[in-house]
Amino acid sequence: MTATLPSPRHTDLHDAPVLRWGVLAPGVIAHDWVDSVARHTSQRIVAVGSRSLERAQAFADKHGAAHAYGSYAKLVQDAEVDVIYIASPHSEHESHALLAIAAGKHVLVEKPIATSAAGAQRIADAARAAGVFAMEAMWTRYRPQSDVVRQVLEAGTLGDIRLVTADFGGLAPVDPTSRLWDPALAGGALLDLGVYPVSWASFVLGSPTGVLASGDLAPTGVDRQAAMILTHDGGAQAVLTTGLTARTPEASVIAGSEGRLEIPSPFWFADDVRLFDGTGDLVDTWHDPFGRVARESLCCEAVALARYVGEGRTESPLHSLDETIAVMATLDEARRQLG
C-alpha cells in the first residue's frame, strides 16, 4: 500500500449562510456548544430559552444573546430565530424538537435524538411534514477527522471492511436522581455513551442485520455496562462496548482486507488518524492542524447545518434521519436484550 491519507474537505467554518440560533435549555453542553460556535464561526446566537427566566438571562448575558425567555414555548415563537439547538436532557428531546418544528423552526437536537426509534421517527415525520431541517447533533460526523476516514472508505483503500471496534466508557458516581442513573430520565450507558460507537459503526458499515448484546444493570434498572456484536451484510462485524463503571480505552479500529485505520482515544473527537497496510506497517498519519481542542469542534455541526439549509436541504447528506432512526433501533434492541 502506497496510499496517503487525504485532507479533509469543507474546512472553512465561515463559508455557510449565517443563521440566527436559539438555544433551548442552557446547561453545560449548551455553554460549550455556544462557546465553540461564537469562537470559530459566523453563526449568530440570538436567543435562549429556559424554564427559569433568571437562568436564561444569565446565559444570554454571558454569551451576548439579545433575547432571554423563561419558557421554551416563547423561545420557539421568536420570529428572529431561524433554528433551535436543543440541549435538554435526552428524555425531553422528542417533545422539545416537536415543539420547535411545530413553530416552523429548523432543529439541531443533541444526541441521542430521542429515547427510541419510534420517537426519532416522530421527529422525522414532523420535520418532513413541516418542510424544516432536522438533524441529530452527532458532532463526530462533521469533524475534519471523520471526513478523512470518509474519504478513505469511499476510495476503497482498506479493501473489504471486515471489522469495526469502538468503545466509550466512563466512571460516573452512582446517583439515583441523576440523568445517567434515573430510568425516568432515560438513563443508562447505551443512550448516553453507547450512541457514539453505534453511530460510528453505522457510519462505516451501515445498518446491522443482527444485534447481540450482553451487559449489566444498575440497581436503578438502567444499563451500566454493555457489549454489542453487530452483524452486517457480507459477514462484517462491529464489536462495541460502553459503560458507566470504568474509564475504558475509547478508541476505534476499522479493519479491512487491505489495511486498517486506527482512531486513537477518544475516537469521537480524536485529532489523529493512522493508516496501516495489510501487513500491519504504519503507512501514514493525519494530525488535525486546526487546534480546536475537544468540544471546541462542536461548531462543525452548526456550520454543516447552516450550509445544508443554504443548499435547500431538509436533512444531512452525511447523517440522514433514516440512519439516525436505524441507530436508535439498534440501541432499542440492545436495551431490550439487556432487560
Side-chain angles (χ1 to χ4, degrees):
M1 177 188 291
T2 59
T4 57
L5 289 168
S7 297
R9 301 162 291 190
H10 302 301
T11 56
D12 183 356
L13 296 182
H14 297 276
D15 71 348
V18 177
L19 299 184
R20 300 169 299 177
W21 292 78
V23 176
L24 189 153
V28 172
I29 188 64
H31 278 282
D32 290 348
W33 186 88
V34 169
D35 280 342
S36 172
V37 169
R39 183 176 300 186
H40 299 293
T41 84
S42 302
Q43 302 301 304
R44 293 178 56 210
I45 312 299
V46 300
V48 58
S50 172
R51 291 174 297 180
S52 161
L53 179 57
E54 182 180 13
R55 191 175 184 214
Q57 190 62 61
F59 188 96
D61 292 344
K62 177 178 175 65
H63 296 290
H67 305 291
Y69 299 104
S71 79
Y72 301 139
K74 290 182 179 179
L75 170 68
V76 302
Q77 293 297 330
D78 188 333
E80 295 183 22
V81 171
D82 301 311
V83 54
I84 302 290
Y85 169 61
I86 295 171
S88 51
H90 46 255
S91 56
E92 311 305 313
H93 286 176
E94 180 185 348
S95 63
H96 292 156
L98 295 177
L99 179 72
I101 290 167
K105 306 300 186 188
H106 307 302
V107 292
L108 176 64
V109 188
E110 260 306 331
K111 60 81 199 164
I113 195 171
T115 59
S116 67
Q121 184 70 62
R122 286 188 286 269
I123 293 171
D125 289 345
R128 288 164 175 165
V132 300
F133 190 98
M135 185 172 97
E136 182 183 51
M138 182 52 69
W139 60 309
T140 303
R141 294 294 182 98
Y142 303 97
R143 298 188 70 251
Q145 155 248 41
S146 297
D147 192 51
V148 173
V149 175
R150 184 177 294 110
Q151 291 181 74
V152 170
L153 296 174
E154 290 171 350
T157 304
L158 304 181
D160 182 22
I161 305 299
R162 303 307 303 163
L163 178 68
V164 175
T165 66
D167 165 68
F168 189 175
L171 180 59
V174 178
D175 176 0
T177 66
S178 78
R179 68 174 185 84
L180 289 176
W181 299 100
D182 186 349
L185 297 176
L190 280 167
L191 285 179
D192 194 70
L193 306 182
V195 65
Y196 280 103
V198 172
S199 182
W200 186 253
S202 176
F203 164 51
V204 179
L205 293 172
S207 297
T209 56
V211 178
L212 180 63
S214 178
D216 179 45
L217 300 184
T220 59
V222 303
D223 56 287
R224 61 184 172 189
Q225 186 167 318
M228 293 163 281
I229 300 175
L230 310 184
T231 304
H232 295 260
D233 287 337
Q237 292 180 310
V239 179
L240 315 173
T241 51
T242 188
L244 301 172
T245 59
R247 185 65 183 267
T248 54
E250 300 178 339
S252 174
V253 172
I254 302 169
S257 57
E258 301 295 329
R260 75 178 186 271
L261 292 177
E262 292 185 0
I263 299 92
S265 177
F267 79 87
W268 63 96
F269 66 79
D271 290 331
D272 290 338
V273 178
R274 299 170 188 150
L275 174 65
F276 295 79
D277 65 19
T279 66
D281 290 335
L282 179 64
V283 174
D284 197 16
T285 298
W286 178 83
H287 181 73
D288 189 316
F290 303 106
R292 295 187 292 268
V293 179
R295 285 183 171 179
E296 283 189 31
S297 60
L298 284 166
C299 58
C300 296
E301 64 190 6
V303 172
L305 183 149
R307 189 182 297 122
Y308 299 149
V309 168
E311 294 170 354
R313 300 178 186 270
T314 54
E315 298 185 28
S316 167
L318 302 185
H319 184 213
S320 71
L321 291 173
D322 284 344
E323 186 192 354
T324 302
I325 294 163
V327 167
M328 292 309 305
T330 299
L331 290 167
D332 284 352
E333 177 59 18
R335 295 174 74 211
R336 185 194 68 79
Q337 292 182 30
L338 266 60

